[in-house]
Amino acid sequence: ALPSVSINQRRELMNICNDTGCKIKILPGIYQLMNGEVKVSKLRNVEIEDLLGRDPISVNMNQIASYVENRTVMVTGGGGSIGSELCRQVAARHPRKLIIVDIYENNAYDIQMELRNAHPELNLDVRIASIRDGEKIDALFNELRPEVVYHAAAHKHVPLMEDSPNEAIKNNVFGTLNVVKAADKYHVKRFVQISTDKAVNPTNIMGASKRMCEMIIQAFSRHSHTVFTAVRFGNVLGSNGSVIPLFKKQIAHGGPVTVTDKNIIRYFMTIPEAVSLVMQAGIFAKGGEIFVLDMGEPVKIDDLARNLIKLSGFTPDVDIPIIYTGLRPGEKLYEELLMDEEGLQKTENGSIFIGHPLDFDEEVYFEQLHHLRGTIDDMHQDAIRDEVRKIVSTYHPELGGK
């Protein structure tokens, strides 16, 4: 019951409490109790988010509302973890219309029903479509004329993409190219690309594909009236396929909890934080930037697993065993948020930084993409990696899994 202590102090206290074996709850602030905002019965379980080594980021929601309100907004991949939260935050800021584009009908249906219930007044248009289908994407933009586009549609699972590199390239790179071309053609005002820290010095095909997407954004921004930008962040707590839901499921089954390597570290943020960053980037963007969040100190996945086991009322290695399975193909021990040569520039939000665009020959780049598009289905996995390495000079697949 210490609402005023810092995140680091709270984490130290919780680590001490964890050793008692007791269940831990967090009490709301006393002023919230006095004002009747919450009741003592609202004691909540400690969540893994409480152990992040930093305070939650804050953004200027009034700024965000100013460019979403009364605009036609499209979210690709709108049924996914990031995409659906984007839809929630956009819907709460009174757009003229919200367009959700997703290939997975179940995800699209779920967010459609949720938003209809939460915002019955919302002008909502849900379309099932693949970003790989250039003609379909062009037709959607021609019909619906979005003013703001958040491009969240992508294949993101590193090990799966290592086994199917052609699918990673076709979906992430050529799918993005389809959406970017349509945004440019139909004069979208702002286009925000969802990127990842795995795009920095990538060791896996997923990261390399996202770096290629950033290059597309940077190239088009030089010639287009559309403001194109990318937002790069680390792992998202609770997203589909992330470690926390996996660990919780493993703990619920009595273990073991699987960690790839005792020393593996990752940067983490919550889904609302990630989406707030994405939306604020749309405000700051002038074109071609890669926005990066100061995500605090990286977290050891082993510590994350052990803390989650303790928070669940068990003792690591006694009640719930932890086993180390080894790094998976394409996986790094640590992720980097920015290439050294990109440099950093502060924004008015102290947690958001801008990496300057890298120089590359865009004519050569698009020739390489054209060649890759025509040959990718006939190429062996290693040949695809070789071609991608020619395009992304910082891609080093031989370092993956080390």
Side-chain angles (χ1 to χ4, degrees):
L2 293 167
S4 61
V5 299
S6 71
I7 289 286
N8 284 334
Q9 288 172 310
R10 187 182 304 166
R11 187 168 55 169
E12 288 175 21
L13 287 168
M14 286 192 290
N15 284 337
I16 295 168
C17 294
N18 269 336
D19 292 335
T20 67
C22 299
K23 286 190 176 178
I24 311 167
K25 302 276 186 180
I26 289 186
L27 187 69
I30 190 68
Y31 295 108
Q32 292 175 292
L33 293 169
M34 290 172 62
N35 293 339
E37 293 176 34
V38 295
K39 295 182 171 56
V40 176
S41 60
K42 291 296 183 185
L43 268 72
R44 66 175 176 83
N45 290 328
V46 176
E47 296 290 345
I48 204 72
E49 289 93 325
D50 296 312
L51 298 176
L52 286 178
R54 58 176 174 77
D55 293 309
I57 69 161
S58 59
V59 298
N60 187 329
M61 286 303 179
N62 291 329
Q63 266 188 338
I64 290 171
S66 70
Y67 91 97
V68 169
E69 188 173 0
N70 205 32
R71 295 277 173 86
T72 299
V73 181
M74 175 183 285
V75 180
T76 71
S81 303
I82 297 295
S84 61
E85 180 64 20
L86 274 165
C87 292
R88 292 181 193 102
Q89 292 200 26
V90 169
R93 287 167 181 83
H94 313 294
R96 180 185 300 123
K97 176 184 274 192
L98 173 58
I99 305 157
I100 297 174
V101 179
D102 206 301
I103 190 59
Y104 302 110
E105 61 180 72
N106 292 339
N107 287 352
Y109 176 80
D110 287 344
I111 190 65
Q112 180 186 50
M113 292 298 102
E114 178 186 331
L115 293 178
R116 279 183 176 171
N117 183 58
H119 303 281
E121 78 292 346
L122 177 66
N123 184 2
L124 180 63
D125 194 339
V126 179
R127 301 296 180 97
I128 302 301
S130 170
I131 59 172
R132 296 189 192 193
D133 187 340
E135 290 184 6
K136 175 73 172 182
I137 293 300
D138 185 275
L140 285 178
F141 274 74
N142 185 30
E143 174 193 354
L144 300 169
R145 299 299 171 116
E147 298 165 272
V148 179
V149 174
Y150 296 106
H151 180 44
H155 286 326
K156 66 174 187 175
H157 292 290
V158 170
L160 288 176
M161 293 305 99
E162 286 302 287
D163 292 334
S164 301
N166 59 328
E167 298 302 310
I169 298 300
K170 287 194 292 187
N171 197 66
N172 294 0
V173 179
F174 298 128
T176 293
L177 187 58
N178 289 336
V179 183
V180 166
K181 281 182 174 178
D184 176 56
K185 179 178 178 180
Y186 295 104
H187 308 296
V188 167
K189 288 184 171 62
R190 292 180 184 268
F191 184 107
V192 183
Q193 160 78 33
I194 308 300
S195 195
T196 170
D197 56 2
K198 293 175 178 62
V200 184
N201 298 321
T203 57
N204 54 68
I205 201 72
M206 194 285 285
S209 74
K210 297 297 271 188
R211 180 61 191 143
M212 292 165 74
C213 293
E214 292 178 352
M215 293 166 75
I216 291 170
I217 293 299
Q218 291 182 336
F220 269 79
S221 73
R222 294 168 186 162
H223 311 288
S224 178
H225 292 295
T226 299
V227 174
F228 287 100
T229 193
V231 184
R232 188 189 286 162
F233 46 80
N235 294 269
V236 181
L237 286 169
S239 67
N240 295 330
S242 67
V243 293
I244 301 302
L246 173 63
F247 287 167
K248 285 183 175 178
K249 192 178 293 185
Q250 290 174 334
I251 292 167
H253 285 92
V257 169
T258 56
V259 176
T260 53
D261 190 285
K262 194 175 182 65
N263 296 311
I264 195 168
I265 59 173
R266 290 291 181 265
Y267 293 94
F268 280 98
M269 62 195 310
T270 66
I271 293 175
E273 281 181 321
V275 167
S276 296
L277 169 66
V278 169
M279 296 186 74
Q280 182 125 40
I283 302 288
F284 294 152
K286 293 182 172 59
E289 307 97 333
I290 297 173
F291 289 89
V292 182
L293 174 67
D294 177 5
M295 298 179 67
E297 294 300 314
V299 179
K300 286 183 74 170
I301 302 295
D302 189 48
D303 291 344
L304 205 61
R306 291 177 183 278
N307 283 326
L308 196 57
I309 290 168
K310 290 176 184 176
L311 292 175
S312 303
F314 300 107
T315 303
D317 299 320
V318 177
D319 303 315
I320 304 287
I322 297 176
I323 61 173
Y324 302 100
T325 57
L327 291 178
R328 298 171 297 183
E331 196 168 43
K332 292 183 186 179
L333 273 178
Y334 62 95
E335 300 293 353
E336 307 151 86
L337 286 173
L338 196 69
M339 297 180 197
D340 290 339
E341 64 267 34
E342 282 177 300
L344 279 178
Q345 174 189 335
K346 280 190 174 181
T347 67
E348 63 188 66
N349 183 319
S351 296
I352 303 175
F353 296 84
I354 302 172
H356 291 291
L358 292 177
D359 288 327
F360 61 94
D361 188 322
E362 61 186 72
E363 188 175 336
V364 171
Y365 177 59
F366 285 113
E367 285 176 2
Q368 290 171 319
L369 285 190
H370 180 73
H371 171 72
L372 186 59
R373 189 171 211 161
T375 58
I376 192 165
D377 281 325
D378 300 321
M379 296 167 69
H380 187 269
Q381 290 186 10
D382 289 338
I384 293 172
R385 291 186 178 90
D386 288 340
E387 285 298 310
V388 171
R389 197 201 298 246
K390 294 175 188 174
I391 300 170
V392 181
S393 61
T394 55
Y395 171 46
H396 296 289
E398 73 278 4
L399 300 179
K402 295 182 174 64

